[in-house]
Amino acid sequence: MPQPCHDPVDTQIIHRSVLLEEAVNALVTDPNGRYVDATFGRGGHSRAVLARLGAAGRLIGLDRDPEAVAAARALTDSRFRILHRPFSAIATALAEAGEHAPLSGLLLDLGVSSPQLDTAARGFSFSADGPLDMRMDPTRGESAAAWLMRAEQQEIARVLREFGEERFAKRIARAICERRAEAPLRTTAELAALVERAQPGRREPGKHPATRTFQALRIQVNDELGEIERCLDQVCDLLAPGGRLVVISFHSLEDRIVKHFMRRESRGAVLPKGVPVTGGPAPGRLRLLGKAQRPSTAESESNPRARSAIMRVAERSHADDAH
């Protein structure tokens, strides 16, 4: 997510890291440990982590966006390296690079970054016209325009409803399919105008009518929720006892996955009723640390994109190592 430095591709775009101090304070417990920033973006969190590390510390960055990787390669610090991989492939990426676990900490700053959102050519935003792409890695996979051309109307409606929580999903899906029968949707402006026309007169105050549709398509094109689930499935095996997992989410769909994962792993194995058990219950692999944190009023006022952020922290348990 947002990182506070200049993008070498476009020096006008500045990305401010959300919950920067809070995240780094929660993450770094051993200045000589090995850490992963699995969503490098433009390096705001990574730079702050490096500032806390000692000479023997190590930070590995991951990102699937080639522009983020290019920005990372400008960061000259012998304690840091960048890997061009999605965070769902974290275990494989670390092994192939010889960066073996266990880790002292892992940071996930989810969602779309400011440079992605504010660069019209990336196709993430309805506020500036550009190609209808939305891929975080434009070299792989299917663009939003291509998906909208082939998906069934019912599937488009499902994605808009589930990933965008869009009340008018059926109307919008029908309008998309009627339009593509005449000509494909190719630009963000075309889609935004179509969505606006497809909705009835009553609108959410302060929100563009296309906001939910664009969010839903971005999540679909990048398989964002699946990426989160696959990454979290690997976390406990990667963290050292006492290692920290810090996750910043920006909407309820992301946060729900993170919250349920942390709670499940903190409870440990749940046995069926009636199964005889000797000794105490199996300990959880994670220990929840504190309550979910949100940005301060000052941060939210200075950076509107921080308003929806929520951070959760968990620590790899020592208890299960004794069993």
Side-chain angles (χ1 to χ4, degrees), residues 236-237 239 241-242 265 268 282-286 316-323:
C236 292
D237 292 330
L239 288 175
E265 291 296 342
R285 297 194 292 174
L286 292 178
R316 182 70 165 90
S317 174
H318 293 262
D320 62 333
D321 297 317
H323 287 248

Side-chain angles (χ1 to χ4, degrees), residues 245-262:
L245 169 64
V246 178
V247 186
I248 303 171
S249 305
F250 285 80
H251 58 74
S252 60
L253 298 175
E254 295 172 340
D255 183 55
R256 191 177 302 131
I257 292 171
V258 175
K259 178 173 65 176
H260 289 173
F261 166 78
M262 287 185 173

Side-chain angles (χ1 to χ4, degrees), residues 27-81:
L27 183 73
V28 181
T29 57
D30 175 7
N32 292 314
R34 183 188 303 264
Y35 296 87
V36 170
D37 178 354
T39 46
F40 180 85
R42 290 302 180 271
H45 285 113
S46 283
R47 288 180 175 85
V49 170
L50 286 167
R52 302 284 185 91
L53 296 186
R58 184 82 173 146
L59 175 65
I60 303 100
L62 269 71
D63 210 296
R64 58 172 162 171
D65 187 334
E67 292 183 5
V69 173
R73 287 180 176 146
L75 203 169
T76 55
D77 189 313
S78 61
R79 301 168 300 167
F80 171 80
R81 72 181 296 186

Side-chain angles (χ1 to χ4, degrees), residues 269-298:
V270 178
L271 298 176
K273 288 182 179 179
V275 174
V277 178
T278 57
R285 297 194 292 174
L286 292 178
R287 183 169 68 93
L288 305 181
L289 297 182
K291 295 181 179 180
Q293 287 185 255
R294 295 186 179 275
S296 65
T297 301

Side-chain angles (χ1 to χ4, degrees), residues 56-303:
R58 184 82 173 146
L59 175 65
I60 303 100
L62 269 71
D63 210 296
R64 58 172 162 171
D65 187 334
E67 292 183 5
V69 173
R73 287 180 176 146
L75 203 169
T76 55
D77 189 313
S78 61
R79 301 168 300 167
F80 171 80
R81 72 181 296 186
I82 185 71
L83 305 176
H84 183 197
R85 298 293 292 274
F87 55 67
S88 63
I90 183 170
T92 302
L94 292 175
E96 289 177 352
E99 299 285 358
H100 300 293
L103 302 173
S104 301
L106 170 62
L107 172 67
L108 288 168
D109 186 10
L110 301 172
V112 66
S113 70
S114 291
Q116 289 169 333
L117 194 60
D118 295 339
T119 303
R122 300 299 300 271
F124 285 98
S125 176
F126 46 76
S127 61
D129 195 19
L132 190 56
D133 195 312
M134 298 193 189
R135 288 172 294 172
M136 291 184 177
D137 183 349
T139 68
R140 301 171 188 270
E142 187 176 40
S143 69
W147 186 79
L148 287 174
M149 273 303 294
R150 71 163 181 83
E152 297 286 341
Q153 181 174 321
Q154 186 176 359
E155 175 68 359
I156 295 172
R158 182 194 67 79
V159 165
L160 299 185
R161 183 177 60 253
E162 292 183 10
F163 297 163
E165 299 172 300
E166 173 55 71
R167 289 184 299 157
F168 305 111
K170 287 185 178 179
R171 284 175 179 251
I172 296 167
R174 183 167 62 248
I176 287 170
C177 291
E178 288 172 355
R179 160 59 195 267
R180 77 185 184 189
E182 301 172 2
L185 284 162
R186 298 190 185 280
T187 72
T188 56
E190 290 173 352
L191 178 60
L194 180 149
V195 172
E196 193 165 8
R197 290 193 302 270
Q199 293 191 13
R202 207 170 160 188
R203 306 284 165 78
E204 290 180 83
K207 226 175 205 182
H208 190 285
T211 300
R212 295 179 180 276
T213 294
F214 272 65
Q215 173 185 297
L217 291 177
R218 191 200 83 214
I219 291 172
Q220 168 66 27
V221 165
N222 295 290
D223 188 23
E224 291 182 31
L225 304 185
E227 287 281 313
I228 296 168
E229 289 171 345
R230 289 189 291 276
C231 178
L232 292 177
D233 284 344
Q234 303 168 65
V235 162
C236 292
D237 292 330
L238 293 172
L239 288 175
R244 299 282 180 86
L245 169 64
V246 178
V247 186
I248 303 171
S249 305
F250 285 80
H251 58 74
S252 60
L253 298 175
E254 295 172 340
D255 183 55
R256 191 177 302 131
I257 292 171
V258 175
K259 178 173 65 176
H260 289 173
F261 166 78
M262 287 185 173
R263 286 181 177 175
R264 183 175 67 248
E265 291 296 342
S266 69
R267 286 196 304 265
V270 178
L271 298 176
K273 288 182 179 179
V275 174
V277 178
T278 57
R285 297 194 292 174
L286 292 178
R287 183 169 68 93
L288 305 181
L289 297 182
K291 295 181 179 180
Q293 287 185 255
R294 295 186 179 275
S296 65
T297 301
E299 181 174 8
S300 295
E301 288 177 351
S302 66
N303 181 10

